[in-house]
């Protein structure tokens, strides 16, 4: 528990500090401030997972389950891993569009960084689920409602854009996407129990704080 409190505090502190810096960078553009991660809680929680269109949402508890290696995890951990795989994949699709479309070298550099970082994270999340006998995806998850997920129409517009128009769309969409991932990481911190997954979520949040700041510094959104 001491280790878990340490990485939980680190995540919250990093996001809050980064938020203060980002307010100054984005105030002129009217962009919303990034959401701070929710405070951690030691009490069991119930989490509602969005259902498919026309279906009721599913409720998962935070009761612990024993993994083969002896570590503890719960339904919140499983849902996070499954949904973050999809979330990361969309970010990589966006990053793959940058070469040949972007004109700002900062945009292409950030896109390359995102692809290099989130690709291996997907592999790690897949392995985490496989080791626990959990499926990579759950049809009950409505991925379109995940924080920061970009609509199909927005993705189509990004793919059709070039030059400065692409750069502006990319920065705007990826910033929102990253802030959504930070929110999801905060949800995991609040209700998950797997220490390694929590540490990974912490690392993801820290990395994306840095990338949001770098995109804001480009001054093109």
């Amino acid at each position: 528990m001491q280790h878990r409190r340490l990485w939980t505090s680190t995540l919250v502190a990093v996001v809050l500090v980064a938020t203060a810096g980002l307010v100054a960078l984005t105030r002129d553009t009217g962009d919303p401030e990034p959401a701070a991660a929710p405070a951690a809680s030691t009490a069991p929680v119930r989490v509602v997972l969005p259902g498919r269109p026309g279906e009721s949402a599913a409720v998962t508890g935070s009761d612990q389950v024993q993994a083969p290696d002896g570590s503890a995890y719960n339904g919140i951990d499983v849902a996070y891993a499954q949904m973050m795989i999809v979330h990361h994949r969309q970010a990589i699709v966006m990053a793959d569009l940058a070469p040949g479309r972007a004109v700002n070298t900062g945009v292409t550099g950030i896109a390359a960084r995102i692809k290099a970082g989130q690709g291996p994270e997907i592999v790690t999340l897949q392995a985490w689920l496989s080791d626990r006998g959990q499926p990579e995806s759950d049809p009950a998850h409505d991925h379109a409602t995940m924080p920061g997920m970009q609509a199909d129409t927005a993705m189509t517009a990004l793919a059709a854009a070039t030059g400065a128009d692409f750069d502006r769309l990319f920065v705007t969409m990826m910033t929102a996407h990253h802030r959504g991932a930070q929110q999801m990481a905060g949800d995991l911190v609040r209700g998950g129990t797997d220490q390694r997954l929590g540490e990974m979520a912490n690392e993801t949040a820290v990395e994306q704080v840095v990338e949001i700041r770098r995109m804001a510094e480009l001054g093109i959104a």
Side-chain angles (χ1 to χ4, degrees):
M1 287 298 296
Q2 183 176 2
H3 291 300
R4 182 166 184 79
R5 286 195 296 270
L6 178 59
W7 61 253
T8 297
S9 301
T10 301
L11 170 60
V12 174
V14 168
V15 173
L16 289 176
V17 170
T19 297
L22 286 169
V23 169
L25 290 170
T26 61
R27 190 177 302 278
D28 292 339
T29 64
D31 289 341
E33 298 177 17
S41 171
T42 56
V45 297
R46 302 293 283 177
V47 173
V48 178
L49 301 177
R52 291 175 293 184
E55 295 184 357
S56 300
V59 178
T60 180
S62 61
D63 296 337
Q64 294 187 16
V65 180
Q66 203 76 10
D69 63 1
S71 62
Y73 70 97
N74 63 16
I76 298 168
D77 295 313
V78 173
Y80 173 84
Q82 292 170 334
M83 298 178 83
M84 191 56 77
I85 288 172
V86 177
H87 206 271
H88 277 1
R89 280 176 175 161
Q90 187 181 65
I92 291 174
V93 169
M94 294 165 65
D96 280 338
L97 293 173
R101 290 179 174 83
V103 292
N104 188 299
T105 56
V107 170
T108 55
I110 290 169
R113 177 189 175 106
I114 289 168
K115 184 175 180 179
Q118 297 196 16
E121 287 181 13
I122 289 174
V123 174
T124 299
L125 291 168
Q126 289 171 325
W128 186 93
L129 290 165
S130 177
D131 289 346
R132 288 154 182 79
Q134 298 294 328
E136 183 176 316
S137 62
D138 184 342
H141 295 168
D142 183 1
H143 296 138
T145 66
M146 286 192 293
M149 281 293 283
Q150 301 299 296
D152 290 344
T153 53
M155 295 294 290
T156 299
L158 183 65
T162 57
D165 289 339
F166 176 87
D167 293 342
R168 283 191 294 270
L169 272 176
F170 180 89
V171 169
T172 299
M173 292 170 62
M174 192 63 78
T175 297
H177 200 269
H178 276 12
R179 287 174 179 166
Q182 289 176 339
Q183 181 179 336
M184 293 169 69
D187 290 342
L188 179 70
V189 167
R190 182 180 61 191
T193 58
D194 185 274
Q195 181 176 339
R196 175 63 192 113
L197 198 62
E199 291 170 350
M200 183 177 176
N202 178 37
E203 293 163 3
T204 296
V206 170
E207 187 73 11
Q208 297 198 351
V209 164
V210 172
E211 290 170 359
I212 289 173
R213 182 185 298 117
R214 289 182 177 179
M215 287 188 286
E217 289 171 348
L218 294 177
I220 59 177

